[in-house]
Amino acid sequence: MAALGGLTAAIALLTGLPTASADELADLRANQELLQRRVDQLAQAGPSVGPGPGGPVMSGSFPRSFVIPGTEVSLRIGGQGVGSVLWYLKGAATGGALNGQGSFNETFTDGQGGTGNLSSIPLNTHTFSNTAAPAGFSHSRSSTWDFSGKQTRVFLDARTPSPYGEVKAYIEFDFSASNTNTILNNNQGSVNGYIPRFRQGYATLGGLLMGQTQGTFTDNDSEPELIDFGGSTGTPFVSRTPQVRYTYPLPNGQSIAVAAENPNPNFAGPFGSFFTDTNQIPGMSSCSALTTSTATNTTNITNACLGNAAFFNPSQDIAPTLVARWRVEQPWGHIQAGISGVAYALNDGEYLNKTYIGYGGSLSGNFFTWGKDNLTWGLAGGDGLGDQLANNIGVATNFGGALVGQAFNATDSRSFFSTNRVLYDSAVLASTITSFSAKVGYQHWWTPQLRSTVDMAMNHDDMPALIQASGRAAVNKELLISHANLIWSPVAFVDIGIEGAWGHRVTVSNLKGDAWTLQSSMKFRF
């Protein structure tokens, strides 16, 4: 009303003052145009959501947003507050103490899912100080409790129109940085000091996106609703990665997208799996090979210069990971199909320089059955897909192990590596790994406030003989996980639930491990 009154006054001045100067008339016309724009903005924005120091704060262009005063930018501030209680009845991943058999592993505080405990479940057979562990040893060390609020997160979502489509900026962080007995110590001594973790940050202009967000191969809408923050396994990945993506809309709810994503291929070697960005401690040099079994030399078993996966990491990024995706969304659900190509290179800076190409595809979606019940599903597979599939490995190599008939010492693996590199590099082998995965989940709504989800997922890697024959690493061959939960939403945006989960791990040497967890959480999304 104030704007309309001002506009009326301006019109009266323009029509009732014929003797006004040209400058005055120009000012009045400018004021009229400004007021008219303000009236149009008020009409488009809808009702005010509350007063502000400079005038009313208007609702924004998308739900739960507001217009930043003096701009055309709509901003939403959101996130979630989460509290979780997790009980490992069996199978908690151990930390680095007691030769890898002790303490709680701070990396997996929020669940045993695919990005959590699953791939590191303690095996039923262990070694301890190079001797067989007592019967039941792993069981006695693998149960624990953990209380956590690390999945609390905050995000900023800003959008504004432009001639080229909507412009958007998105920033999100939480407090779930991994801490495995290194960054923090004695967390419970006073107050734990979990550090913020960057999750997402990107900008869009129309269909163009640049920055870090969910991978283009990923399909979050095909994932079941879980309390386990580690999620499922065998799902199209990468969860969040830097990328450049272009999405083009098509008729009937369809779209296509192509992307070049930050490469970080993963490998399996004689000492376990590693990524391109897996690093040895900076400045740490390698040790000389063990020649005797004296007490002085045997202390090398705890030294950082052991022959580990990080020390033997010849991987090199030579090209972006390429992804193409088709998607259709309808009232009955959605379907998504994707293909991906991954480039691998082994280059040790000496005489080894080999390249490999991985490829694969995925098909996933969800169907609403009756009411709000929801069936989620997915299939994926390929050769050398690497991190495009959760808990997958792209290339296997014998680099770092004892080659060409060399002697091998289980506690010091450098063997012949540094004495004759020409001969050593000529004996290095590698192969892409064929893998496949499947997942299915079903959510049933008992009442408008009460729902349950059950799911099952698996991931399988066909490791080549060059890794199987080594017997020197607990590289995973198969992972399975299942959840069942009950979630209650007493009020809008609040979820309280409890969930049981079972995880199963099989290595290339057919050692097995199982984990059982019970988890509860309360979440408020704002």
Side-chain angles (χ1 to χ4, degrees):
M1 294 298 297
L4 289 174
L7 177 60
T8 303
I11 294 174
L13 288 171
L14 286 172
T15 57
L17 296 174
T19 59
S21 67
D23 290 339
E24 290 174 333
L25 289 174
D27 291 339
L28 289 171
R29 290 192 182 97
N31 288 335
Q32 178 190 10
E33 294 174 359
L34 179 62
L35 289 169
Q36 184 63 56
R37 286 199 299 269
R38 182 61 173 165
V39 170
D40 293 341
Q41 185 184 37
L42 286 167
Q44 294 174 1
S48 169
V49 298
V57 177
M58 297 183 299
S59 58
S61 61
F62 61 101
R64 302 164 72 182
S65 67
F66 62 90
V67 175
I68 300 176
T71 74
E72 296 182 354
V73 177
S74 297
L75 176 66
R76 179 186 170 190
I77 303 174
Q80 63 182 32
V82 180
S84 170
V85 179
L86 175 61
W87 179 22
Y88 281 97
L89 290 84
K90 173 187 175 184
T94 53
L98 294 175
N99 196 24
Q101 297 299 328
S103 67
F104 179 56
N105 193 317
E106 281 288 329
T107 302
F108 309 126
T109 58
D110 293 317
Q112 68 149 313
T115 61
N117 184 78
L118 181 64
S119 61
S120 301
I121 294 174
L123 300 170
N124 294 333
T125 301
H126 295 276
T127 58
F128 183 71
S129 298
N130 298 323
T131 62
F137 178 83
S138 62
H139 299 170
S140 65
R141 293 292 297 175
S142 64
S143 62
T144 191
W145 285 80
D146 181 65
F147 290 66
S148 175
K150 293 176 65 175
Q151 287 295 326
T152 296
R153 69 182 64 153
V154 178
F155 68 79
L156 303 174
D157 186 347
R159 309 182 194 182
T160 189
S162 83
Y164 305 97
E166 184 180 66
V167 181
K168 176 178 178 179
Y170 188 88
I171 303 170
E172 181 180 67
F173 63 91
D174 65 9
F175 303 90
S176 195
S178 297
N179 303 293
T180 309
N181 303 326
T182 54
I183 299 176
L184 300 176
N185 186 40
N186 190 22
N187 289 344
Q188 304 305 317
S190 175
V191 59
N192 52 41
Y194 292 127
I195 58 178
R197 179 183 68 162
F198 176 66
R199 284 175 57 89
Q200 298 187 71
Y202 62 88
T204 69
L205 176 62
L208 179 65
L209 178 149
M210 295 184 69
Q212 177 167 307
T213 187
Q214 280 81 15
T216 310
F217 207 54
T218 304
D219 183 5
N220 286 333
D221 294 329
S222 70
E223 296 298 313
E225 183 183 20
L226 302 176
I227 295 175
D228 180 355
F229 295 117
S232 189
T233 188
T235 60
F237 225 42
V238 177
S239 181
R240 292 171 296 276
T241 187
Q243 61 189 278
V244 177
R245 179 199 302 171
Y246 187 80
T247 304
Y248 186 79
L250 297 172
N252 303 316
Q254 301 180 85
S255 66
I256 57 173
V258 293
E261 299 184 352
N262 188 60
N264 188 22
N266 53 350
F267 299 77
F271 308 101
S273 58
F274 58 93
F275 289 83
T276 302
D277 62 358
T278 302
N279 293 296
Q280 181 80 353
I281 297 174
M284 181 63 67
S285 60
S286 61
C287 302
S288 59
L290 295 178
T291 56
T292 66
S293 58
T294 64
T296 301
N297 283 330
T298 55
T299 59
N300 278 298
I301 198 168
T302 60
N303 289 348
C305 55
L306 281 173
N308 54 39
F311 181 77
F312 292 103
N313 182 1
S315 59
Q316 179 185 14
D317 292 332
I318 57 172
T321 296
L322 302 177
V323 185
R325 179 187 74 196
W326 168 84
R327 183 180 174 99
V328 58
E329 297 187 54
Q330 295 292 329
W332 45 258
H334 86 284
I335 296 177
Q336 177 174 306
I339 56 174
S340 180
V342 185
Y344 301 87
L346 292 176
N347 187 338
D348 67 351
E350 293 286 341
Y351 307 100
L352 173 64
N353 190 1
K354 298 182 179 181
T355 58
Y356 306 86
I357 299 296
Y359 58 89
S362 67
L363 184 67
S364 58
N366 81 294
F367 300 128
F368 296 108
T369 54
W370 61 83
K372 296 196 296 183
D373 283 16
N374 189 20
L375 173 69
T376 57
W377 57 275
L379 299 168
D383 184 35
L385 260 182
D387 62 358
Q388 289 298 99
L389 197 60
N391 301 118
N392 190 32
I393 298 174
V395 169
T397 178
N398 61 357
F399 184 85
L403 307 179
V404 292
Q406 305 161 37
F408 178 77
N409 184 314
T411 62
D412 192 311
S413 57
R414 285 166 299 277
S415 58
F416 200 48
F417 175 73
S418 60
T419 57
N420 190 333
R421 290 295 290 276
V422 176
L423 179 61
Y424 187 92
D425 285 355
S426 67
V428 170
L429 301 174
S431 173
T432 52
I433 299 172
T434 302
S435 60
F436 60 88
S437 69
K439 62 177 183 177
V440 63
Y442 191 80
Q443 183 178 73
H444 175 64
W445 288 75
W446 305 100
T447 72
Q449 292 80 33
L450 193 65
R451 59 199 183 273
S452 291
T453 298
V454 294
D455 84 308
M456 172 71 77
M458 62 83 63
N459 182 50
H460 180 87
D461 288 329
D462 285 330
M463 290 293 174
L466 61 93
I467 288 295
Q468 294 176 355
S470 71
R472 299 193 290 270
V475 177
N476 293 326
K477 177 174 64 176
E478 192 165 274
L479 298 171
L480 296 93
I481 193 167
S482 180
H483 304 83
N485 63 40
L486 182 65
I487 300 175
W488 176 47
S489 298
V491 295
F493 310 118
V494 173
D495 299 328
I496 302 173
I498 187 169
E499 178 176 272
W502 165 74
H504 182 67
R505 173 191 180 200
V506 183
T507 71
V508 295
S509 54
N510 288 320
L511 295 176
K512 299 177 176 64
D514 293 275
W516 297 88
T517 56
L518 191 63
Q519 187 169 5
S520 178
S521 74
M522 183 169 68
K523 177 190 303 182
F524 172 44
R525 294 169 281 111
F526 62 90

